[in-house]
């Protein structure tokens, strides 16, 4: 059992204790154990490394099992300090060589060094890699220095100092004013000023007041919050306690998706540790302030990410949103004043207190301060999480950091803001990314999903995807959303099936207006964005589907067919053997044939054919 | 059916009606689905009308009112996976297992599900089998993966 910290001094002493034996020249290894790297088998690499170090008697070399580093494309990631040598795609079989050459003899292993896809140059040090160099990793950077299950690691890098400063040197009003001056806007989607919510909740009557962290990251294609909760759970907890002090709240909730088991495990562990140190519970750090956090697991409903629906869910009911004229800050959870912010917003709070609002306010644009984490995914070379100051352009994110489009293909569009956002075409690449510019362009910041698409993606299919997603996730309370989305989905299906009519685009436009006017919450209000933005920027693609019954990107199943070129087919049997739907017939060494009625268009025949005999039209 | 396990879950949540979602989650962890008898029992114990419990248990995607197979295979349909070919992966899995999402294979070896993003977007298309993630899938790899779990 850890010793309770009874004062700020206790915390300072503990930090000194934890850092006194750290020699900046000593060797330590950071291994990324985030979700992406786990898919690549990082836990086997960690195990192999531990065994090898022990075998070699290198007990003084510390392994740091960290959360997500962000460069998920290259997993498993390993950074060897103090030099900061960066190895990627590390496999357990590389470990013996790493220990022998790099750990023992300071040699860099060329084979494991990152090669810049654009210049073909080898870059051995993490700090020089473009993916990292052009970012400003105020939040994500901490992930690489700590083990998420160790509160001591967090305290060693200065964790909970912001909380102590707030408790002992600032009044709640000063905290709110500091957050207001810093210009912190909610990172969950709407971009609402955090301090304004805090202020109204502080002034509202009703006890207890609640603080909620929305970790129900439902936006498909976005995983920033997952990585923050998994990799640095204490930063979220610290932010929430500071918020609670400012608002005058004693009860907090973290509402977390059940699809994120590792994040749930780490936040549960972190809350337990914070309790043991007296950083949560009664009389935090010996002050008069008391605050506690409970965990509420989501049930797998996208709409539960909407603030009022989320509160319904915590209360044990179905997650249906309610009208917005009743402010959550005054009548929220259990009808009491409630402040809800998302993971990234809370994690920014300790930063603001530590840096001071003036320094924080220098980062970003006039009305969008600080950094934003984006989940840069899709058809991009360097997929992963990137943190940039607001105001950088899409081009900088996609090309300088993201390394451009996969396989040298042509950029077509980038989708931001999840199902409520829109797509932006190539001529918008110079757009500065902040809350207001993205909205003006017909998309939105959202929680930070950034899905890059290339020439092989069909924009009608993308619109259909989002509308399909939303109609499935609509809670059904408002008729325009429930029925309107269904009709829009039907129309888009019709178009992608090659049965579209000229009038369909007008009908889509009309329904979009209806949804916007007649829905209570953001899910319905903004559902038209994916459709309207694709029509606005890629009208010709819709027209080709409707008029010519063709899908230019060769995506829409009903409009493509796989065929076997009889001149090239050698009868090797490979496609026949692998076809999951028995759609291919033919004898060995004789020409094969694909039967369109049975073909599910999975493309296996196309992938396995060694003679380019399968064509896709 | 062992209802004492349910009572224990209810006690853990202090028989609090507001904890219904959490209670149902614990029940599902214990029984792998939400059996009718258990829902009846919760209804009586907490004095919540049964339709209200059904309302909650059918609203959230995490809950299943039917028994589920030995392996739960969830295909990620998030945007990042979608643009990298998730619909084709789903089609392949459906054809291979000969079931639709939400169904079990007749031998109860598999339940096929879709999930709206598991947050492993960098390695899409992704399939989650029994909580473990498998990434960078193609139709071929999907069939190989499904075959692996068919026998154990």
């Amino acid at each position: 059992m850890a010793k309770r910290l009874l004062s700020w001094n206790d915390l300072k002493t503990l930090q000194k204790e934890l850092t006194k034996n750290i020699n900046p020249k000593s060797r330590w290894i950071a291994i990324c154990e985030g979700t992406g790297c786990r898919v690549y088998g990082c836990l086997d690499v960690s195990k192999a490394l531990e065994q090898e170090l022990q075998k070699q008697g290198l007990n003084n070399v510390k392994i740091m099992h960290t959360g997500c580093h962000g460069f998920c494309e290259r997993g498993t990631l390993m950074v060897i300090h103090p030099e900061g040598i960066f190895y990627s795609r590390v496999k357990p079989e590389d470990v013996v060589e790493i220990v022998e050459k790099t750990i023992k003899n300071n040699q860099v292993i060329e084979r494991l060094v990152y090669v810049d896809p654009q210049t073909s140059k080898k870059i051995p040090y993490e700090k020089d890699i473009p993916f990292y160099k052009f970012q400003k990793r105020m939040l994500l950077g901490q992930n690489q220095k700590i083990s998420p299950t160790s509160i001591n690691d967090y305290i060693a890098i200065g964790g909970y100092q912001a909380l102590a400063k707030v408790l002992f040197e600032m009044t709640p009003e000063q905290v709110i004013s500091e957050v207001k001056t810093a210009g912190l806007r909610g990172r969950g989607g709407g971009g609402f000023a955090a301090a304004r919510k805090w202020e109204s909740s502080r002034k509202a009557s009703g006890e207890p007041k609640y603080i909620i962290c929305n970790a129900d990251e439902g936006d498909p294609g976005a995983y920033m919050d997952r990585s923050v909760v998994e990799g640095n759970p204490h930063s979220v907890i610290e932010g929430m306690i500071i918020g609670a002090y400012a608002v005058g709240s004693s009860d907090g909730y973290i509402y977390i998706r059940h699809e994120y088991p590792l994040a749930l495990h780490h936040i549960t562990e972190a809350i337990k540790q914070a309790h043991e140190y007296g950083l949560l519970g009664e009389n935090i750090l010996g002050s008069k302030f008391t605050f506690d956090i409970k965990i509420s697991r989501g049930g797998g409903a996208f709409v539960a990410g909407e603030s009022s629906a989320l509160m319904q869910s915590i209360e044990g009911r179905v997650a249906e949103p309610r009208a917005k004229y009743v402010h959550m800050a005054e009548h929220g959870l259990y009808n009491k004043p409630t402040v809800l912010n998302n993971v990234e917003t809370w994690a920014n709070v300790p930063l603001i207190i530590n840096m001071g609002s003036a320094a924080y306010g220098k980062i970003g644009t006039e009305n969008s301060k600080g950094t934003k984490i984006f989940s840069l995914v899709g058809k991009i070379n360097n997929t992963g999480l990137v943190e940039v100051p607001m105001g950088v352009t899409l081009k900088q994110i996609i090309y300088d950091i993201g390394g451009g489009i996969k396989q040298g293909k042509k950029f077509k569009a980038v989708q931001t803001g999840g199902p409520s956002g829109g797509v932006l075409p190539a001529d918008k690449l110079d757009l500065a990314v902040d809350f207001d510019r993205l909205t003006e362009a017909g998309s939105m910041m959202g929680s930070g999903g950034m899905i890059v698409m290339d020439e092989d993606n069909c924009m009608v299919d993308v619109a259909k995807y989002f509308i399909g997603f939303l109609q499935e996730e609509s809670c059904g309370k408002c008729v325009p959303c429930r029925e309107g989305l269904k009709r829009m989905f039907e129309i888009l299906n019709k178009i992608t099936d090659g049965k579209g009519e000229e009038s369909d685009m007008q009908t889509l436009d009309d329904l979009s207006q209806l949804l916007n006017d007649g829905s209570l919450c953001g899910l319905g209000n903004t559902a038209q964005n994916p459709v309207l933005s694709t029509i606005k920027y890629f009208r010709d693609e819709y027209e080709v589907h409707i008029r010519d019954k063709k899908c230019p990107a060769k995506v829409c199943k009903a409009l493509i067919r796989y065929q076997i070129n009889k001149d090239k087919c050698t009868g090797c049997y490979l496609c026949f053997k692998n076809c999951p739907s028995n759609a291919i017939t033919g004898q060995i060494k004789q020409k094969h044939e694909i039967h369109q009625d049975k073909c599910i268009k999975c493309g296996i025949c196309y992938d396995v054919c060694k003679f380019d005999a399968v064509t896709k039209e | 059916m062992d209802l004492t396990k349910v009572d224990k879950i209810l006690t853990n949540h202090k028989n609090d009606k507001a904890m219904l979602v959490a209670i149902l989650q614990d029940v599902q962890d214990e029984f792998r689905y939400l059996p009718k008898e258990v829902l009846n029992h919760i209804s009586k114990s907490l004095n919540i009308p049964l339709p209200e419990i059904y309302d909650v248990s059918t609203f959230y995607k995490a809950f299943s009112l039917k028994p589920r197979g030995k392996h739960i295979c969830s295909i990620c349909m998030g945007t990042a996976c979608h643009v990298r070919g998730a619909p084709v992966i789903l089609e392949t899995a459906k054809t291979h297992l000969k079931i639709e999402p939400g169904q079990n294979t007749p031998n109860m070896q598999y339940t096929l599900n879709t999930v709206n993003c598991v947050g492993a977007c960098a390695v899409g298309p992704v399939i989650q089998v029994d909580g473990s993630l498998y990434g960078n899938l193609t139709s071929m790899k999907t069939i190989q993966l499904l075959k692996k779990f068919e026998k154990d």
Side-chain angles (χ1 to χ4, degrees):
Chain A
M1 187 78 183
K3 194 175 155 266
R4 250 182 101 86
L5 306 171
L6 296 172
S7 64
W8 191 357
N9 220 18
D10 278 3
L11 179 69
K12 284 180 183 159
T13 315
L14 176 65
Q15 191 197 6
K16 255 187 218 145
E17 190 84 4
L18 293 168
T19 48
K20 76 171 183 216
N21 291 327
I22 294 176
N23 176 354
K25 285 183 187 155
S26 66
R27 196 167 272 309
W28 63 281
I29 304 162
I31 295 187
C32 175
E33 293 184 5
T35 295
C37 282
R38 281 180 187 229
V39 176
Y40 286 110
C42 66
L43 296 182
D44 294 332
V45 175
S46 288
K47 213 163 109 194
L49 185 65
E50 265 167 21
Q51 283 168 353
E52 187 59 24
L53 288 176
Q54 202 178 18
K55 201 170 125 195
Q56 302 272 352
L58 296 164
N59 300 328
N60 53 342
V61 178
K62 192 183 172 196
I63 305 176
M64 187 71 90
H65 304 275
T66 74
C68 182
H69 292 197
F71 202 174
C72 309
E73 175 72 27
R74 303 292 308 177
T76 297
L77 307 176
M78 184 187 282
V79 187
I80 298 167
H81 296 282
E83 300 93 330
I85 298 167
F86 175 86
Y87 289 153
S88 63
R89 299 261 159 94
V90 180
K91 299 263 176 296
E93 49 271 29
D94 298 321
V95 163
V96 172
E97 194 183 348
I98 293 174
V99 172
E100 188 55 39
K101 289 194 176 154
T102 314
I103 312 274
K104 285 167 83 176
N105 295 306
N106 302 322
Q107 289 170 21
V108 172
I109 303 166
E110 296 277 315
R111 179 169 58 82
L112 297 171
V113 164
Y114 175 73
V115 183
D116 187 338
Q118 292 189 323
T119 59
S120 303
K121 241 176 77 182
K122 284 191 172 167
I123 309 176
Y125 300 107
E126 189 185 33
K127 63 176 179 10
D128 303 324
I129 292 171
F131 178 80
Y132 290 111
K133 203 167 73 179
F134 297 115
Q135 294 188 45
K136 188 168 179 64
R137 297 164 62 86
M138 300 203 299
L139 279 177
L140 282 179
Q142 293 180 5
N143 275 18
Q144 288 162 265
K145 297 178 195 153
I146 59 172
S147 163
T149 49
S150 162
I151 189 170
N152 282 348
D153 282 358
Y154 184 65
I155 289 174
I157 63 163
Y160 290 108
Q161 294 293 340
L163 170 66
K165 186 179 168 189
V166 162
L167 289 179
F168 298 108
E169 285 183 351
M170 293 169 86
T171 64
E173 288 78 10
Q174 282 171 327
V175 178
I176 292 176
S177 146
E178 189 72 354
V179 173
K180 191 187 263 175
T181 317
L184 179 66
R185 293 174 70 173
R187 302 298 199 251
F192 194 80
R196 266 176 62 196
K197 283 192 199 176
W198 296 18
E199 204 166 26
S200 352
S201 203
R202 173 156 190 87
K203 285 179 185 156
S205 57
E207 291 289 332
K209 289 174 180 165
Y210 291 101
I211 291 285
I212 300 178
C213 171
N214 183 352
D216 190 54
E217 188 174 45
D219 262 12
Y223 64 110
M224 306 73 49
D225 293 349
R226 170 177 201 154
S227 292
V228 173
V229 178
E230 271 178 18
N232 193 0
H234 286 288
S235 65
V236 182
I237 295 173
E238 189 180 1
M240 284 178 75
I241 310 173
I242 295 171
Y245 174 75
V247 170
S249 154
S250 54
D251 293 74
Y253 280 93
I254 294 180
Y255 186 86
I256 188 162
R257 286 184 89 195
H258 84 110
E259 288 93 340
Y260 288 178
L262 189 65
L264 178 66
H265 170 62
H266 285 179
I267 196 81
T268 310
E269 194 58 30
I271 289 176
K272 206 176 109 201
Q273 293 169 347
H275 258 282
E276 287 173 2
Y277 271 145
L279 293 160
L280 273 177
E282 282 177 23
N283 303 101
I284 293 171
L285 284 175
S287 72
K288 288 199 175 110
F289 180 63
T290 294
F291 178 67
D292 212 343
I293 297 175
K294 286 191 191 127
I295 292 174
S296 184
R297 279 187 293 160
F302 173 71
V303 70
E306 198 277 343
S307 56
S308 63
L310 186 149
M311 291 173 203
Q312 294 281 320
S313 183
I314 293 181
E315 292 178 28
R317 288 198 286 270
V318 298
E320 281 179 357
R322 64 176 205 205
K324 283 293 171 326
Y325 58 82
V326 188
H327 294 292
M328 303 302 138
E330 286 130 30
H331 299 282
L333 186 64
Y334 299 110
N335 212 22
K336 302 287 181 200
T338 304
V339 168
L340 178 141
N341 283 121
N342 92 327
V343 169
E344 199 182 332
T345 319
W346 287 122
N348 263 286
V349 173
L351 285 181
I352 292 171
I353 303 295
N354 283 327
M355 292 170 75
S357 57
Y360 187 91
K362 285 196 183 113
I363 305 160
T365 60
E366 198 190 338
N367 291 318
S368 303
K369 299 293 184 195
T371 60
K372 177 79 195 83
I373 308 177
F374 290 99
S375 140
L376 187 61
V377 294
K379 304 289 189 64
I380 184 125
N381 272 317
N382 303 337
T383 48
L385 292 181
V386 305
E387 184 179 350
V388 288
M390 286 199 253
V392 301
T393 64
L394 283 168
K395 196 185 251 164
Q396 284 170 303
I397 297 177
I398 293 167
Y399 287 92
D400 297 345
I401 297 171
I405 311 303
K406 264 186 185 301
Q407 294 160 356
K409 297 221 175 185
K410 215 174 125 197
F411 170 89
K412 188 179 209 171
V414 57
Q415 205 278 344
T416 68
S420 304
V423 298
L424 298 168
D427 63 17
K428 291 274 182 269
L429 279 174
D430 287 319
L431 196 77
V433 177
D434 72 10
F435 287 106
D436 311 313
R437 298 291 94 71
L438 283 174
T439 308
E440 279 164 25
S443 186
M444 67 184 275
M445 179 82 97
S447 63
M450 202 172 260
I451 295 110
V452 178
M453 297 176 227
D454 67 8
E455 54 198 283
D456 292 339
N457 289 115
C458 167
M459 290 300 122
V460 187
D461 174 72
V462 168
K464 184 177 88 172
Y465 164 78
F466 281 114
I467 297 301
F469 174 91
L470 289 166
Q471 63 119 18
E472 208 178 280
E473 294 293 348
S474 168
C475 76
K477 187 170 179 172
C478 312
V479 181
C481 177
R482 184 179 72 219
E483 298 302 324
L485 283 168
K486 270 210 178 77
R487 300 291 90 82
M488 285 172 92
F489 189 54
E490 277 170 11
I491 294 170
L492 289 163
N493 262 315
K494 221 172 81 185
I495 298 175
T496 55
D497 279 348
K499 293 171 188 153
E501 296 163 60
E502 293 290 340
S503 60
D504 285 344
M505 276 198 280
Q506 186 57 48
T507 317
L508 284 173
D509 206 60
D510 294 345
L511 285 170
S512 295
Q513 196 58 51
L514 180 73
L515 271 167
N516 191 1
D517 291 342
S519 314
L520 266 182
C521 82
L523 190 146
N525 282 154
T526 56
Q528 75 281 9
N529 279 346
V531 174
L532 293 184
S533 63
T534 44
I535 293 183
K536 182 173 172 193
Y537 297 120
F538 298 95
R539 195 177 185 92
D540 52 330
E541 257 186 69
Y542 278 85
E543 285 168 355
V544 174
H545 279 78
I546 293 170
R547 202 182 46 228
D548 307 336
K549 317 293 177 208
K550 284 215 165 77
C551 174
K554 296 182 189 168
V555 171
C556 298
K557 254 174 62 182
L559 304 177
I560 58 164
R561 54 197 283 155
Y562 287 93
Q563 273 176 316
I564 293 176
N565 181 337
K566 302 252 158 139
D567 296 335
K568 286 186 177 171
C569 179
T570 62
C572 75
Y573 223 48
L574 209 53
C575 59
F576 173 88
K577 216 172 74 187
N578 285 303
C579 176
S581 62
N582 300 322
I584 300 177
T585 54
Q587 298 296 318
I588 196 149
K589 294 196 175 155
Q590 283 175 17
K591 313 291 175 201
H592 286 48
E593 194 184 341
I594 299 174
H595 297 273
Q596 299 301 329
D597 54 330
K598 282 191 180 171
C599 178
I600 60 162
K601 290 155 191 171
C602 69
I604 289 185
C605 52
Y606 184 81
D607 292 336
V608 295
C609 182
K610 291 175 180 153
F611 308 98
D612 287 333
V614 180
T615 56
K616 184 181 179 184
E617 280 160 18
Chain B
M1 188 136 300
D2 189 0
L3 291 174
T4 53
K5 282 181 182 162
V6 183
D7 288 329
K8 212 176 146 206
I9 292 171
L10 292 173
T11 317
N12 284 346
H13 292 287
K14 297 179 183 127
N15 285 297
D16 185 355
K17 277 185 190 180
M19 299 307 286
L20 182 61
V21 177
I23 290 168
L24 294 177
Q25 278 165 338
D26 288 354
V27 168
Q28 178 146 306
D29 288 345
E30 183 66 44
F31 296 92
R32 292 176 62 76
Y33 76 109
L34 302 178
K36 199 172 169 184
E37 288 163 79
V38 174
L39 297 187
N40 266 320
H41 184 71
I42 296 174
S43 163
K44 285 193 191 112
S45 309
L46 300 186
N47 201 15
I48 306 175
L50 194 59
E52 223 168 272
I53 297 182
Y54 265 77
D55 192 18
V56 170
S57 40
T58 52
F59 183 86
Y60 295 101
K61 244 187 156 175
F63 298 128
S64 172
L65 294 174
K66 290 185 302 191
R68 296 187 296 174
K70 188 173 167 195
H71 300 294
I72 295 169
C73 168
S74 305
I75 300 189
C76 179
M77 303 307 283
T79 322
C81 287
H82 179 88
V83 300
R84 288 194 185 179
V88 175
I89 303 294
L90 174 63
E91 203 58 43
T92 308
K94 271 163 54 180
T95 313
H96 179 77
L97 296 174
K98 299 190 177 68
I99 49 172
E100 291 293 315
Q103 294 179 338
N104 304 316
T105 52
N107 62 2
M108 290 303 279
Q109 194 69 10
Y110 268 118
T111 299
L112 181 64
N113 279 333
T114 57
V115 52
N116 288 329
C117 196
V118 292
C121 313
V123 291
V126 177
I127 291 185
Q128 194 170 30
V129 184
D130 304 334
S132 296
L133 295 170
Y134 301 86
N136 291 321
L137 292 171
T138 59
S139 294
M140 269 297 254
K141 284 195 206 163
T142 303
I143 293 176
Q144 284 161 0
L145 177 71
L146 293 173
K147 279 185 177 163
K148 211 172 93 181
F149 289 95
E150 253 154 39
K151 293 199 182 78
D152 56 54

